[in-house]
């Protein structure tokens, strides 16, 4: 896939399949619980897809346990219930920094995996393999690539392993993950810059479009023959949780709308930057969303009229930036060193 190729997904109501468990997130700093929120890549992604596009009808396959706390938040995408299990639970420690990582994650409970038989036997335009706690199995991804025209994978669904004692998340090389043989059938592979160290980017970009996100620096797209850096949006980070997920939601929303890959990644950067300004799930401002939809339509028209648009993403960035500031929940006192605030309480 070349970066400047506009996919043919331009007709209304494209079907998107999102596969990954919802989870409970507990955010901890200085031995104190700062917030308890609905988590899981699937929840952040559906939040972006449902808000940002009217052309998408999404099916979400997720499992939760008897203790799931957020049923009323997920009425559009009800999870499957595993009555004998707990909901997947992650603790995120923000004061145990290791290397570049801004948090240490521990999977404290794990719900059931998602099996091929949990996924409907029908066709989808786009699939998203977005597990967080090891719930996506190789056979699950195999079914996804069979029934979806294009599959986007978050590498965290493939390479995470969990310490048997305390559940700390570690990463293994993609080659050793059990998913390596499927990579030639994947359309997009998204990794954060920390996760990208666990794959051979030069090898993977020959198989699929690789997108590496770098927090406040935006992202870089590696196509087979070309490479593009996509600029970030300015944000005041409160909580980094879900930035990569919302990025992927924005990227897929853009692709489904028919934007080319760098423009779609710009939309990913946009939603990633809004997410870091909120604790837990962001609630997007309706005027901001309207403006984004208009700018996406405008960009599509502009690209259809001109064959030389492809390198000019600056204008799209400049037009999205003002919309960005229509969604600013920030109160300066919530910010501590640009990281999660000392705000105490539950964000459910
Ligand atoms: N501090 C930030 N300022 C602006 N944008 C950000 C910031 N952090 C993340 N983003 C946006 O979200 C995307 C994903 O964030 P990143 O931290 O790389 O992923 P992950 O959450 O998977 O670690 C980035 O590519 C960027 O577009
Ligand atoms: O922050 P991010 O990497 O995009 O994604 C996060 C996962 O890494 C984490 O395991 C999960 O508990 C969060 O809810 C969120 O999905």
């Amino acid at each position: 896939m070349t970066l400047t190729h506009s996919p043919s997904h331009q007709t209304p109501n494209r079907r998107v399949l999102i596969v990954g468990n919802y989870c409970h997130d507990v955010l901890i700093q200085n031995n104190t619980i700062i917030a308890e929120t609905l988590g899981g890549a699937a929840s952040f992604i559906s939040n972006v897809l449902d808000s940002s596009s009217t052309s998408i009808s999404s099916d979400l396959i997720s499992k939760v346990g008897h203790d799931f706390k957020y049923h009323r938040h997920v009425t559009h995408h009800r999870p499957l219930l595993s009555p004998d299990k707990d909901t997947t639970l992650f603790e995120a420690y923000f004061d145990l920094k290791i290397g570049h990582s801004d948090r240490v994650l521990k999977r404290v409970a794990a719900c059931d995996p998602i099996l091929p038989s949990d996924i409907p036997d029908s066709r989808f335009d786009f699939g998203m393999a977005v597990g967080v706690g090891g719930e996506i199995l190789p056979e699950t991804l195999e079914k996804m690539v069979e029934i979806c025209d294009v599959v986007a994978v978050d590498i965290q669904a493939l390479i995470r392993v969990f310490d048997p004692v305390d559940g700390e998340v570690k990463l293994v090389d993609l080659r050793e993950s059990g998913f390596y043989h499927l990579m030639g059938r994947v359309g997009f592979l998204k990794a954060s810059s920390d996760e990208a160290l666990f794959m051979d980017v030069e090898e993977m970009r020959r198989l699929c479009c690789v997108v590496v996100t770098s927090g406040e620096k935006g992202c870089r797209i590696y196509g087979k023959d070309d490479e593009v850096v996509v600029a970030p949006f300015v944000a005041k980070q409160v909580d980094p949780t879900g930035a990569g997920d919302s990025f992927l939601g924005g990227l897929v929303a853009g692709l489904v709308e028919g934007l080319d890959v760098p423009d779609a990644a710009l939309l990913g950067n946009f939603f990633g930057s809004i997410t870091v300004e909120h604790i837990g799930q962001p609630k997007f401002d309706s005027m901001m969303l309207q403006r984004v939809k208009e700018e996406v339509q405008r960009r599509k028209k502009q690209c259809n009229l001109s064959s030389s648009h492809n390198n000019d993403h600056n204008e799209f960035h400049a037009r999205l930036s003002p919309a960005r500031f229509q969604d600013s929940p920030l109160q300066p006192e919530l910010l501590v060193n640009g990281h999660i605030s000392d705000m105490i309480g539950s964000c459910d």
Side-chain angles (χ1 to χ4, degrees):
M1 177 168 312
T2 66
L3 302 185
T4 51
H5 167 72
S6 283
S8 57
H9 307 111
Q10 294 187 6
T11 52
N13 290 325
R14 311 306 297 190
R15 292 193 70 198
V16 176
L17 173 68
I18 305 167
V19 180
N21 283 349
Y22 293 136
C23 66
H24 291 161
D25 280 343
V26 180
L27 313 187
I28 298 169
Q29 193 173 40
N30 301 329
N31 291 321
T32 304
I33 293 179
I34 302 163
E36 297 187 42
T37 63
L38 168 64
S43 68
F44 284 95
I45 288 169
S46 60
N47 185 30
V48 172
L49 290 186
D50 292 347
S51 327
S52 64
S53 174
T54 43
S55 317
I56 296 174
S57 126
S58 53
D59 284 27
L60 189 154
I61 310 298
S62 173
K63 287 186 181 170
V64 299
H66 61 94
D67 58 343
F68 185 57
K69 292 197 274 192
Y70 300 102
H71 284 289
R72 72 187 164 86
H73 294 72
V74 296
T75 47
H76 291 316
H77 299 292
R78 292 191 186 284
L80 302 168
L81 184 63
S82 292
D84 301 330
K85 286 290 181 81
D86 289 341
T87 299
T88 298
L89 167 62
F90 279 94
E91 291 176 350
Y93 293 85
F94 287 90
D95 37 15
L96 297 178
K97 291 188 188 190
I98 294 179
H100 295 115
S101 175
D102 44 17
R103 63 193 164 168
V104 169
L105 280 178
K106 294 184 182 178
R107 188 193 67 175
V108 179
C111 197
D112 281 329
I114 299 172
L115 307 175
S117 55
D118 296 318
I119 295 178
D121 289 315
S122 67
R123 286 222 59 87
F124 292 86
D125 299 288
F126 230 101
M128 302 183 74
V130 291
V132 287
E135 67 271 27
I136 293 188
L137 310 174
E139 52 269 36
T140 314
L141 182 58
E142 189 160 8
K143 171 139 183 198
M144 291 182 72
V145 296
E146 275 161 16
I147 63 171
C148 302
D149 291 349
V150 181
V151 172
V153 176
D154 190 329
I155 199 170
Q156 77 185 7
L158 315 185
I159 63 169
R160 281 186 172 179
V161 290
F162 306 93
D163 185 282
V165 177
D166 69 356
E168 185 172 335
V169 174
K170 302 268 171 54
L171 304 177
V172 295
D173 196 276
L174 184 56
R175 275 177 183 275
E176 295 153 24
S177 67
F179 293 91
Y180 182 70
H181 64 290
L182 294 169
M183 299 320 294
R185 299 170 71 189
V186 159
F188 292 85
L189 180 62
K190 177 250 164 207
S192 68
S193 48
D194 288 343
E195 292 161 343
L197 302 173
F198 292 81
M199 68 168 149
D200 180 343
V201 174
E202 290 308 314
E203 181 192 12
M204 281 306 133
R205 71 190 291 186
R206 289 197 294 274
L207 301 176
C208 60
C209 180
V210 176
V211 183
V212 178
T213 62
S214 307
E216 63 187 0
K217 296 189 189 130
C219 69
R220 185 183 286 264
I221 306 166
Y222 300 87
K224 203 173 273 174
D225 307 311
D226 32 17
E227 201 169 311
V228 181
V229 174
V230 183
F233 291 84
V234 175
K236 290 184 182 154
Q237 180 169 301
V238 175
D239 171 14
T241 310
D245 307 332
S246 294
F247 170 90
L248 197 51
L251 173 81
V252 167
L255 293 172
V256 169
E257 285 292 342
L259 295 179
D260 70 16
V261 180
D263 281 345
L266 196 59
L267 210 53
N269 283 349
F270 183 88
F271 283 104
S273 72
I274 293 177
T275 300
V276 300
E277 293 191 339
H278 295 73
I279 295 182
Q281 305 284 325
K283 286 190 184 69
F284 302 119
D285 176 85
S286 59
M287 280 169 60
M288 180 277 285
L289 289 170
Q290 186 52 35
R291 179 93 188 252
V292 169
K293 284 174 194 163
E294 286 163 12
E295 289 305 334
V296 167
Q297 294 313 315
R298 189 177 181 283
R299 180 69 177 154
K300 273 168 64 179
K301 273 194 203 132
Q302 188 189 22
C303 294
N304 286 340
L305 289 175
S306 156
S307 56
S308 59
H309 67 274
N310 288 314
N311 292 322
D312 180 21
H313 307 287
N314 292 341
E315 194 204 332
F316 189 35
H317 188 283
R319 294 193 66 92
L320 283 176
S321 286
R324 176 73 192 67
F325 293 106
Q326 270 167 297
D327 189 284
S328 195
L330 285 179
Q331 299 159 34
E333 66 272 19
L334 296 186
L335 304 172
V336 178
N337 300 328
H339 279 285
I340 196 159
S341 73
D342 283 337
M343 195 171 96
I344 305 220
S346 162
C347 290
D348 61 352

